[in-house]
Amino acid sequence: MQIHYPGALIESAVSGRVTLLLHIDERGVLNKAQVEESIPEGVFDRAALNAWTDVQFSPALKDGIAVKSR
């Protein structure tokens, strides 16, 4: 996975943290991603969301059956 650091911030050495809520279907496909928390707010949100867009997950299992998860 490649995370793109926002170009305008490279020289400022700003760091941060973004917590995402990912909705993954029973096939392991990301259906929805949303920002739950970010520090500093809004600075790295787009980069964090973009980084997870094309990731293929292993689905969650319940009693051995693939299910949707968050």
Side-chain angles (χ1 to χ4, degrees), residues 12-67:
S12 67
V14 172
S15 64
R17 183 182 82 228
V18 179
T19 303
L20 300 176
L21 176 60
L22 306 176
H23 297 259
I24 301 164
D25 72 14
E26 59 279 349
R27 295 170 292 136
V29 175
L30 177 66
N31 284 331
K32 180 181 176 185
Q34 63 192 65
V35 174
E36 288 289 294
E37 177 185 27
S38 61
I39 300 170
E41 189 173 332
V43 175
F44 296 104
D45 294 9
R46 180 61 33 212
L49 289 166
N50 287 342
W52 292 97
T53 301
D54 296 323
V55 174
Q56 178 68 39
F57 294 89
S58 295
L61 298 175
K62 183 174 182 180
D63 299 324
I65 298 171
V67 294

